[in-house]
Amino acid sequence: MEFDTRIGVSEPDKIYVHGYDLTEDLIGEITLADMAFLGAAHRKPSQQESKMLNACMVAICEHGFTPSSISARLTYLGAPEAVQGAVAAGLLGAGSVYLGAMEYVAQMLQDGLKKVEDENDVQIIAAQIMEERAKKGLQLPGFGHPIHRPIDPRTPKLFALAEELGFSGKHIALMNEIHRQFCEQKGKALTLNVAGAIGAVLSDMNLHFSVVKSFAVAARAVGLIAHIVEEIETSRKDCMAQKLYDFVEENTNYKNTKSARDKGE
Amino acid sequence: MEFDTRIGVSEPDKIYVHGYDLTEDLIGEITLADMAFLGAAHRKPSQQESKMLNACMVAICEHGFTPSSISARLTYLGAPEAVQGAVAAGLLGAGSVYLGAMEYVAQMLQDGLKKVEDENDVQIIAAQIMEERAKKGLQLPGFGHPIHRPIDPRTPKLFALAEELGFSGKHIALMNEIHRQFCEQKGKALTLNVAGAIGAVLSDMNLHFSVVKSFAVAARAVGLIAHIVEEIETSRKDCMAQKLYDFVEENTNYKNTKSARDKGE
Amino acid sequence: MEFDTRIGVSEPDKIYVHGYDLTEDLIGEITLADMAFLGAAHRKPSQQESKMLNACMVAICEHGFTPSSISARLTYLGAPEAVQGAVAAGLLGAGSVYLGAMEYVAQMLQDGLKKVEDENDVQIIAAQIMEERAKKGLQLPGFGHPIHRPIDPRTPKLFALAEELGFSGKHIALMNEIHRQFCEQKGKALTLNVAGAIGAVLSDMNLHFSVVKSFAVAARAVGLIAHIVEEIETSRKDCMAQKLYDFVEENTNYKNTKSARDKGE
Amino acid sequence: MEFDTRIGVSEPDKIYVHGYDLTEDLIGEITLADMAFLGAAHRKPSQQESKMLNACMVAICEHGFTPSSISARLTYLGAPEAVQGAVAAGLLGAGSVYLGAMEYVAQMLQDGLKKVEDENDVQIIAAQIMEERAKKGLQLPGFGHPIHRPIDPRTPKLFALAEELGFSGKHIALMNEIHRQFCEQKGKALTLNVAGAIGAVLSDMNLHFSVVKSFAVAARAVGLIAHIVEEIETSRKDCMAQKLYDFVEENTNYKNTKSARDKGE
């Protein structure tokens, strides 16, 4: 029984990671995000790819108080001996609802372009995608935001960077066209959100949609550090998790009366 | 009830993260690892700090097949619908045994230097620390490695970078002195491992020991991407997790015989 | 802001859980599995329901070495300070691949019976379900087993218990009929596995399909205790996780040669 | 390479778990909690042991809104596709702060009794333990409760059951004596809480302290079902997790002003 891997191997005085000499080629030479790229693309990113990927991961790293960061804080409150558990709990909420869109957008764009002969006719492709999803009763992923209306400020920033760095290709063009048609259809300005933007940008960086979510999850892990640090730096009594727990306890309305139960038996 | 935070806030057209304008100051301007620094130090790193921190996180990001990365792969095998769960499972093994040392080293060095008046007399401080730990029956963290003997190649690389970037201060000096005395005491060359090196470097970057482990956990999350990608890219039948599971199943020696049980009742 | 719940409330000298007095009505009066029933059905189970549910949860509690239990052991190896992390890692692999079937079976049966006027004509309903799934390219959940062929010994046991305890209703009948037609269609004896059996039994206990998976997850948490105990009872050097890790390390075939990398650049 | 286990093995028509025939000896014969006992003690519990263990696990299964159950709900909000993740997140908060006490009590009592020749002189042993812990600056685990003062109603209930079922031995006696001396020392009635009670009861059932926490974690997994069910049964908009998240968002006080940042640079 042998286990093949392209990822890494250690010798007494050398460590190879993704085919590179860790100390010669990677430490001090590349950024942390580049390690994610290496894992997905099996080669070091170019300078442009590195900058673009760092930008995308920075953009989704931190969202303030979210179900995910609150879970991490609550977990740290109960298990400060295991920071890894707090980070893990924070990541577990990074599922289909909040992070899924990024992957769904990438898949929608990549599948949409694969099906057609003439990749340049984005108008037709966009219309096809929208019609197909409507027929299946599927939502269009990558649109809408509770706060950032009608523009998510990260979207123009990321698209401008993609343009500048040479990654503004057919996927971004298609996403923009879907956006245009969707707004037209609805008769109002809809937000093309950061998940939609990143799904398109990573697609134009030739990253397969199936790896997109793991990039988002890793970025979140980095973002959770700040939340755990903020809990550490606040006294236990005043930390956010304790305050929140106390608040919930004081405002719990118990609706299951003993008498109701008795009748039910 | 109000929840204070210095981390982030969103307005319709602006997002502030750690006091910076996300789109103006951070996206495209800083690296992913810098977000970790921001979370711990509440300010952007200098160029030197950014390079040093990226180097440290790259150094501990990836270790090939480990209990942690194998868990992530096994979890992905059972729950491919939830990549976040695979990453979380991988992180949960990043506990005291494998990652703890980094924090323990940082704490040992930071506490050791806090207790003394003359920070420059590393020989005496090192001796004190070693004596104190010996008295309490505590191991010296940061030493030893099953493969990298007598030198962990990451250690000289990181210390050289620290020197070059201006972070080679009293904590690294103290760690090197502890190493020297420890080798002398044992009468042989002992490995100062990467956990020991990073514990010292991050201390010389003025990062508090309590945040060190969360940096390591976040770096691991990035490293786990490669393992999940490798599982995705291999057919389900041939993926490492399935092969490993099959191997275990075929080589399980069930030692609890029915007859043994009968006698026990 | 108020948070409603029917689950529990504490007063200085009383604790109410699901409308019952914890110390008077529950502790010493009901089993652990009954707490799961209480959570899902909002009332105490009858003696028959309790026995049936305990039987189902016992049946899926333990599977020996599985990706899930191996992950738990590997996690314990790296983080013995946090048993909760080892259990959590074990549960994270209990996803769609291994546990999903139970829920899919329950949903298939419950939806199938909801659509028809005459619930007693299981032959027609079974045929409809099979036709519909075939049309959509969906597999039939609850069938097949790598080892237990052509009979999963748990299935007849659970169906016999259901009969004895009065839970053998239309869902089990429908599942048996689907099994009969499926074997006929394939021209061979196919295993109706334990997931299929439990999906049918819990449906005949009037439990909604959406809660079925959480029952399975909780049962697994109980089963993982044995694996963690076995790791604790074995010396660190000889424990299964360490042996497995050593084996993987010794049998890793690193396929990413430096020269291959050089050509790629 | 062989992996030994006493836990389980499957043959085509038989499954052995802990030396028993799963379908003949366990399904329909024992309760879910008994599987936990089997895992820890390697034999089926007696009827008394089964009742006592079920009572203990029922007692700590459910605590209403806690950091742990709130995390599970928040995680389900973000990742409803992966119930196992919600349960895992809930368990990750079950660490040293809330569940640790149970294990620490069991260890304190078991170690305390091991050190002495005359196990019956609980007064002296209790005094020794208290003196030793005071010297080391260690708290006495198992005492105090924010709500249940001066009596945790679960404690007399569990001790009465232990008496009735024949498990009221030297560990419970020692715990009661520590309680008596501690109250005397402090000059007031202190709560002997449920963690203290269960630590003592499980010790008198001859369970080793190292397995105590895994029992508590598994009980919690069962308790979390109710919380996930309550989220499922409430509309997404009105579920507790969404309401809580909205509340936090509306009441976040962002203290990191851009101007403050500018001065800092």
Side-chain angles (χ1 to χ4, degrees), chain A residues 77-82, chain C residues 81 84, chain D residues 93-102 104 213:
Chain A
L77 185 70
E81 76 279 13
Chain C
E81 78 277 13
Q84 71 273 15
Chain D
S96 59
V97 177
Y98 300 115
L99 288 194
M102 223 169 292
Y104 305 146
K213 208 167 134 194

Side-chain angles (χ1 to χ4, degrees), chain C:
Chain C
M1 171 62 59
E2 286 218 318
F3 302 102
D4 296 340
T5 183
R6 294 201 281 175
I7 295 177
V9 75
S10 288
E11 296 169 11
D13 61 344
K14 285 280 180 197
I15 299 167
Y16 294 103
V17 174
H18 300 290
Y20 297 90
D21 182 321
L22 178 63
T23 51
E24 294 299 311
D25 303 328
L26 304 181
I27 296 177
E29 302 296 321
I30 67 168
T31 69
L32 178 63
D34 298 339
M35 286 295 288
F37 188 92
L38 250 176
H42 312 298
R43 64 170 174 82
K44 276 204 232 180
S46 68
Q47 232 179 313
Q48 288 76 19
E49 287 167 328
S50 174
K51 193 170 178 191
M52 191 73 239
L53 184 61
N54 270 292
C56 288
M57 291 181 92
V58 165
I60 50 167
C61 179
E62 181 48 61
H63 292 73
F65 290 135
T66 58
S68 156
S69 62
I70 300 171
S71 286
R73 287 169 181 255
L74 289 165
T75 302
Y76 184 79
L77 185 69
E81 78 277 13
V83 164
Q84 71 273 15
V87 177
L91 296 186
L92 289 172
S96 59
V97 176
Y98 300 114
L99 288 193
M102 221 170 292
E103 179 181 344
Y104 306 147
V105 167
Q107 181 165 20
M108 173 179 79
L109 300 175
Q110 293 179 24
D111 284 353
L113 283 162
K114 224 181 291 167
K115 282 189 200 155
V116 294
E117 273 180 46
D118 181 2
E119 287 187 350
N120 297 315
D121 204 340
V122 289
Q123 260 185 289
I124 292 173
I125 308 174
Q128 276 176 351
I129 289 173
M130 291 176 69
E131 200 184 346
E132 212 181 286
R133 292 188 79 91
K135 225 185 274 175
K136 290 187 188 164
L138 294 171
Q139 279 198 306
L140 275 179
F143 296 102
H145 199 281
I147 297 172
H148 303 305
R149 293 177 184 164
I151 290 170
D152 183 329
R154 294 163 290 192
T155 297
K157 175 73 186 188
L158 288 168
F159 283 175
L161 262 176
E163 186 69 40
E164 181 195 322
L165 296 166
F167 298 110
S168 196
K170 56 194 179 187
H171 296 93
I172 294 178
L174 177 56
M175 191 65 191
N176 276 326
E177 176 61 21
I178 291 175
H179 186 208
R180 198 191 60 74
Q181 292 188 20
F182 195 30
C183 293
E184 204 175 85
Q185 198 185 84
K186 296 282 176 185
K188 61 176 173 183
L190 294 162
T191 306
L192 198 178
N193 62 35
V194 69
I198 291 182
V201 170
L202 295 184
S203 295
D204 269 341
M205 290 177 75
N206 284 320
L207 289 163
H208 192 261
F209 67 80
S210 64
V211 307
V212 163
K213 208 167 136 195
S214 58
F215 278 65
V217 170
R220 278 293 169 93
V222 173
L224 289 169
I225 292 176
H227 293 268
I228 292 168
V229 167
E230 206 166 75
E231 292 294 293
I232 292 175
E233 290 182 349
T234 324
S235 80
R236 193 158 182 82
K237 223 188 77 198
D238 296 324
C239 72
M240 189 270 179
Q242 185 65 51
K243 281 172 68 178
L244 184 65
Y245 173 31
D246 290 344
F247 176 78
V248 171
E249 220 173 23
E250 282 155 28
N251 293 281
T252 292
N253 180 23
Y254 186 61
K255 294 174 62 183
N256 208 332
T257 59
K258 199 173 175 309
S259 57
R261 190 256 310 173
D262 287 341
K263 274 180 277 176
E265 278 198 325

Side-chain angles (χ1 to χ4, degrees), chain B residues 131-195:
Chain B
E131 200 183 344
E132 213 180 286
R133 293 188 79 91
K135 225 183 276 175
K136 290 188 187 162
L138 294 171
Q139 279 198 306
L140 275 179
F143 296 102
H145 199 281
I147 298 172
H148 304 305
R149 293 177 183 164
I151 290 171
D152 183 329
R154 295 162 291 193
T155 297
K157 175 72 186 188
L158 288 168
F159 283 174
L161 262 175
E163 186 68 41
E164 180 194 323
L165 296 166
F167 297 110
S168 196
K170 55 194 179 187
H171 297 93
I172 293 177
L174 176 56
M175 191 66 190
N176 276 325
E177 176 60 20
I178 292 175
H179 186 209
R180 198 190 60 74
Q181 292 189 20
F182 195 29
C183 294
E184 204 174 84
Q185 196 183 86
K186 296 280 176 188
K188 60 177 173 181
L190 295 162
T191 306
L192 198 177
N193 62 35
V194 69

Side-chain angles (χ1 to χ4, degrees), chain A residues 1-259:
Chain A
M1 171 62 59
E2 287 219 317
F3 302 101
D4 296 339
T5 182
R6 295 201 281 176
I7 294 177
V9 75
S10 287
E11 297 169 11
D13 61 344
K14 284 281 180 197
I15 300 167
Y16 295 102
V17 173
H18 300 291
Y20 297 91
D21 182 320
L22 178 63
T23 51
E24 293 300 311
D25 303 328
L26 304 181
I27 296 178
E29 302 296 322
I30 66 168
T31 68
L32 176 64
D34 298 338
M35 288 293 288
F37 188 92
L38 252 175
H42 312 298
R43 63 169 176 82
K44 276 204 233 179
S46 69
Q47 230 180 314
Q48 288 75 22
E49 287 168 326
S50 174
K51 193 170 178 191
M52 191 74 240
L53 185 59
N54 270 293
C56 287
M57 291 182 92
V58 165
I60 50 166
C61 179
E62 180 50 61
H63 293 73
F65 290 134
T66 57
S68 156
S69 62
I70 300 170
S71 286
R73 288 168 180 255
L74 289 165
T75 302
Y76 184 79
L77 185 70
E81 76 279 13
V83 163
Q84 71 273 16
V87 177
L91 296 185
L92 289 171
S96 59
V97 176
Y98 300 114
L99 288 195
M102 223 169 292
E103 179 181 345
Y104 305 146
V105 166
Q107 181 165 18
M108 173 179 80
L109 300 175
Q110 293 179 24
D111 283 355
L113 282 161
K114 224 181 292 168
K115 282 189 201 156
V116 294
E117 275 179 46
D118 181 2
E119 287 188 349
N120 298 313
D121 205 340
V122 290
Q123 259 185 286
I124 292 172
I125 308 173
Q128 276 176 351
I129 289 173
M130 291 175 68
E131 200 184 345
E132 214 180 285
R133 294 187 79 91
K135 225 185 271 173
K136 290 188 188 163
L138 295 171
Q139 278 198 307
L140 274 179
F143 296 101
H145 200 282
I147 297 172
H148 303 306
R149 292 179 185 163
I151 290 170
D152 183 329
R154 295 163 290 193
T155 297
K157 175 74 186 186
L158 288 168
F159 282 175
L161 262 176
E163 185 70 40
E164 180 195 321
L165 296 166
F167 297 110
S168 196
K170 56 195 178 186
H171 296 93
I172 293 178
L174 177 55
M175 191 65 191
N176 276 324
E177 176 61 20
I178 293 175
H179 186 208
R180 198 191 60 74
Q181 291 188 21
F182 195 30
C183 292
E184 203 173 86
Q185 197 185 83
K186 295 282 177 185
K188 60 177 172 180
L190 295 161
T191 306
L192 199 177
N193 62 36
V194 70
I198 291 181
V201 170
L202 295 184
S203 295
D204 269 341
M205 290 177 74
N206 284 320
L207 290 163
H208 192 260
F209 67 79
S210 65
V211 308
V212 163
K213 208 167 136 196
S214 59
F215 279 65
V217 170
R220 277 295 169 91
V222 173
L224 289 169
I225 293 176
H227 293 269
I228 292 167
V229 167
E230 205 165 78
E231 292 294 294
I232 293 175
E233 291 182 349
T234 324
S235 80
R236 194 158 180 85
K237 222 188 78 197
D238 295 324
C239 72
M240 189 270 181
Q242 185 65 52
K243 280 171 69 178
L244 184 65
Y245 174 31
D246 291 343
F247 176 77
V248 171
E249 219 173 24
E250 281 155 28
N251 294 280
T252 293
N253 179 23
Y254 185 60
K255 292 174 62 183
N256 209 333
T257 58
K258 199 173 176 310
S259 57

